[in-house]
Structures are given as structure tokens and as C-alpha cells.
Amino acid sequence: MALTETQIRQLEPDAKTYRCSDGRGLFLEIHPNGSKLWRFKYRFLGKQKRLALGRYPDVGLEGARRKLDEARQVLAGGEDPLAVRKLHKLVASFKAANSFEDVAKDFIEKMIAEERAQVTTDKMVWQLTLLKPIAHRPISEIKPLEILAILKALEKQGKRETARRCREFASRVFRYGVATGRGENDPTTILRGALIAPKVTHHAALLDPQQIGKLLRDIDCYSGSAITRFAMRISPHVMSRPGELRKADWSEFDFEAGVWTIPAERMKMRKSHQVPLSRQVIAYLRELQEVTGPDGYAFPAIHTSRKTMSENTVNNAFRRMGYRKDEITAHGLRTTASTLLNESGHWSADAIERSLAHADANAIRGIYNRGRYWEERVAMHQWWSDHLDELRGQGSAVG
């Protein structure tokens, strides 16, 4: 028999919980403490289930019946009302985390899950701190002027490139917010012409053969850490980016095959990269292994083998050797190799670009070239190491 409001008001608690049915699976559960709770009892895929529909009198009899009708409609559609409710709560909770900081952190976690390079995600965390004034604002309410104020403040500090990168990062966060249902648009799009274009700076590099030879001799005489000295010795030969080398693990080197395989997560283009190892580089690495041991990082920090050397270690060593930052940088050694290899006329531009791990504009052509130029690259790396030895020896012969 269906319940009435009068009956429900007159129900008194008992020593034990008991139920009063309203029909069609709807019942009121009366607890010893006096609570009266609406429940819907149903079966889904052969299993008995219960769905809470609210507390009386917050939800009256008519309200409970409306909720029952909605739940039965979901059930008739072949879905579990309890599972649908949990999903709706999850979505609501997700959408409630709608501040710029919430969305940005979700986006960074997505990048980490996709195994993007750690240096990239670390920079994103840093950029998020620079955007702190909008961090706790709902992402859908942030106006272009708010972002522009932050970026202009960075510009006034002379940080034009930082401002540009922060705008790019914010744009990616806003677009992710739209994609996940928490934002409505990307307010940074209209700011593209509002910032001063950063000056293009090139990494300082030595291009004169005599100066390169002197640098190599100075490296041999470096009196600091042996690990740093080996990093400086190897860098000119392998043409890798500084971060790719200093974070190298011994497991990446195959001395027998003469190959160093850099994993995708450490590469700028997110693709694994193979570097041919010349005889000279293998000899340097074997000597280095006697210092560090055969396992773990090839270039560990001085104070602990559980971390790699700092990103500034090699550049600081160059400064102690008397080289200014506008003369030579660790990254500039790639420019040295690229320039002299191209000027030699012995090697194809594609082979040189492959060794520098530059992206190919044509993806299919890039896959083809990786295999096609391997033998040429092996010969080129050996020639380059031999040439560096010649440059180093020329100065000592004159002296």
C-alpha cells in the first residue's frame, strides 16, 4: 500500500531499523536515531542494488517519487542508476576544480603521463609560478587584460622570451580547459601582437679552427673535477644537447656496436636518438667508467651519484678556464660541429641535421632519412673526432 505524508510523519523510531514500502521498489528506512531515509531497491544484471534518494523531510513523498521515476527511466534505458550517479558526481567534482592552477596542474600531469621530457614539464611548473596572480581564478572568468598585466611586468624586467613562453603555456592550459569542459575560450589568442618580440640570441660558439684547437688543449689541462673534464672532452664529438649528455646513463651506451641511444623522454623532439660513437669517444667513456663505475649516471654530481651534474657545470668550467659566455657555451659546441662539418664539404646536410637531432619537416622523409644516413653518420662522426684531434695537435706542434 502506498504511503501518505500523514503516515510518514507519524512513524516512530524503533530499537532496530525498519522499512515502510511505497511500492515499485521505493521504501522509507527508519533508523533508531529517528532518521528517515528514502531508498530505491532494484536489480541490475542479476544483482540486488540500493540507491539513496534523500532524507525525509528534506525530500518529501512527492519528491522521492519523482526521483524514483528518474531512476527507473535510467534503468529502462539499460544503465545502472547507481553507476550513473557516481559518474555524475565524478564529473561534477572534476568541473569544480576549475581554477587556472587546477587546470594547469592537470595539464602538466597529462604531459608527464605522456612521458614528455622532464625539462619541459619542469619549465611548465616554473611558468605556473610566474602566472600566480591568476592561479586561483576560475579559468572561464579570466580576461585577456589580467594575463597581459603579468606578461608586461615580465617584459619590464627584460624577460621578453619568458613572457612569450608564459603566454604559450597559458594558451595551452586554456585550450586544455576548453577540451575538458571547464573553460570557454583561450583569452591569450588576442595577445599575440601585444608583446614585444624577443631578440633572437645564438649560443656562443668557437668557429676558428685554431681557437677550437686551443679550447681542446685547455680542456685537457682542466684541473677541476675529472667527470667535468670528460664531459667537456666528449661534448664536442657527440654533437648532443648539454642536457642529453649530462643525464646519460651507462645503460644507454653500447661500446661493441659503437652506439649511444638517447631515450625519447630526454630528447627535444620526443623521439629516441642514436649517436654513432667514434673510437675517441669510446676511449673517453671507458676512462670515465673507471671513475664513476659501470652503472648509473655517466656524469654524476660531485656530491652524490644519485643525481646528474648541474646544467651549469660545464659552462662554469669554461668560465674558470677564462672563456667568456659570449665566446663559448656547452650548447654552442653543436654550432661549432654543424658549421665546420658543413664547411668541410664531405658530408650531406641531411646527415649533419640527423646527427644534430633536428626535426625533419616531412615526417615520412624523416623516418626514411634516419635509416638512410646511418652509415654516412658513422663515417662522419669518426672523421669529426679525427679532425678534432688534428686541431688539438696543431697547436701543440707549433708550441
Side-chain angles (χ1 to χ4, degrees):
M1 182 179 292
L3 294 171
T4 66
E5 284 284 355
T6 302
Q7 287 176 322
I8 294 171
R9 286 195 296 270
Q10 291 176 350
L11 292 172
E12 297 292 336
D14 204 342
K16 292 184 179 181
T17 299
Y18 67 96
R19 302 172 181 176
C20 291
S21 176
D22 187 56
R24 299 193 301 156
L26 177 65
F27 63 88
L28 192 64
E29 200 171 66
I30 298 89
H31 289 255
N33 63 1
S35 295
K36 299 174 182 179
L37 307 176
W38 291 108
R39 298 284 188 261
F40 170 39
K41 184 178 180 181
Y42 65 98
R43 296 186 71 83
F44 184 78
L45 297 179
K47 292 185 178 180
Q48 192 75 46
K49 295 196 171 188
R50 292 198 322 167
L51 181 68
L53 299 180
R55 179 189 297 270
Y56 183 87
D58 297 337
V59 177
L61 178 59
E62 292 304 315
R65 287 171 177 169
R66 282 196 301 272
K67 289 190 174 188
L68 171 68
D69 289 339
E70 292 170 1
R72 291 181 70 86
Q73 199 169 18
V74 171
L75 194 60
E79 295 185 276
D80 181 359
L82 187 59
V84 170
R85 172 180 289 182
K86 288 180 179 178
L87 178 60
H88 287 169
K89 284 186 176 179
L90 185 63
V91 170
S93 175
F94 180 72
K95 288 186 175 181
N98 66 349
S99 72
F100 182 86
E101 184 176 38
D102 290 329
V103 178
K105 287 181 177 179
D106 282 350
F107 177 69
I108 293 171
E109 287 179 8
K110 175 179 177 289
M111 295 296 101
I112 294 172
E114 292 176 355
E115 298 184 346
R116 300 300 180 98
Q118 184 178 344
V119 65
T120 300
T121 51
D122 286 349
K123 284 182 178 178
M124 287 181 178
V125 172
W126 172 64
Q127 287 158 355
L128 177 56
T129 63
L130 297 178
L131 294 164
K132 187 176 179 180
I134 62 171
H136 300 296
R137 298 265 290 118
I139 196 167
S140 61
E141 297 178 10
I142 298 173
K143 305 301 180 185
L145 193 59
E146 297 177 72
I147 307 164
L148 182 62
I150 299 171
L151 302 181
K152 283 297 184 183
L154 290 171
E155 274 190 350
K156 287 183 180 178
Q157 298 172 34
K159 300 176 180 178
R160 296 179 183 177
E161 179 63 20
T162 300
R164 183 184 70 83
R165 292 185 180 276
C166 278
R167 189 201 67 78
E168 290 178 349
F169 170 65
S171 177
R172 298 177 74 182
V173 173
F174 281 114
R175 284 184 277 125
Y176 181 69
V178 173
T180 55
R182 291 175 285 180
E184 296 176 1
N185 56 55
D186 175 8
T188 70
T189 54
I190 65 173
L191 300 179
R192 287 175 182 167
L195 299 177
I196 301 172
K199 294 180 180 179
V200 177
T201 57
H202 299 283
H203 297 286
L206 297 178
L207 302 178
D208 180 81
Q210 289 186 347
Q211 292 179 337
I212 296 168
K214 181 179 183 302
L215 171 68
L216 296 173
R217 292 191 297 276
D218 288 344
I219 290 173
D220 286 341
C221 297
Y222 179 68
S223 60
S225 162
I227 296 174
T228 304
R229 184 168 63 252
F230 277 112
M232 290 191 291
R233 279 176 165 172
I234 294 169
S235 292
H237 294 261
V238 293
M239 310 179 207
S240 63
R241 297 176 179 86
E244 294 162 4
L245 181 64
R246 70 182 179 85
K247 293 181 180 179
D249 191 278
W250 282 117
S251 62
E252 298 167 8
F253 295 98
D254 186 337
F255 293 157
E256 296 302 317
V259 178
W260 170 30
T261 301
I262 309 175
E265 59 266 24
R266 214 162 66 246
M267 294 299 299
K268 184 176 181 179
M269 299 305 168
R270 315 288 184 267
K271 295 178 181 177
S272 63
H273 179 63
Q274 290 188 313
V275 179
L277 300 177
S278 65
R279 292 188 298 274
Q280 290 89 332
V281 172
I282 292 175
Y284 283 142
L285 289 170
R286 289 191 185 280
E287 286 185 65
L288 175 61
Q289 215 168 44
E290 294 178 5
V291 178
T292 67
D295 302 309
Y297 291 121
F299 301 94
I302 296 174
H303 58 283
T304 173
S305 61
R306 288 179 292 182
K307 293 184 178 180
T308 65
M309 64 166 54
S310 161
E311 61 180 330
N312 295 318
T313 298
V314 169
N315 283 333
N316 288 339
F318 284 148
R319 305 300 160 255
R320 286 195 293 272
M321 290 161 56
Y323 290 90
R324 302 187 311 273
K325 63 180 180 180
D326 61 348
E327 287 182 306
I328 183 66
T329 63
H331 203 289
L333 294 172
R334 285 164 52 81
T335 303
T336 299
S338 175
T339 302
L340 270 66
L341 285 168
N342 276 291
E343 288 179 350
S344 74
H346 297 312
W347 316 103
S348 69
D350 281 326
I352 296 170
E353 289 297 289
R354 282 301 310 134
S355 278
L356 291 168
H358 286 160
D360 199 303
N362 183 308
I364 296 176
R365 179 172 176 268
I367 294 170
Y368 174 63
N369 285 347
R370 276 197 290 278
R372 178 183 175 190
Y373 292 107
W374 177 251
E375 291 185 5
E376 182 181 0
R377 289 179 58 213
V378 170
M380 180 178 71
H381 276 252
Q382 186 56 58
W383 180 90
W384 177 237
S385 287
D386 292 341
H387 186 58
L388 289 175
D389 281 354
E390 289 174 9
L391 295 179
R392 183 172 65 249
Q394 286 172 3
S396 58
V398 172

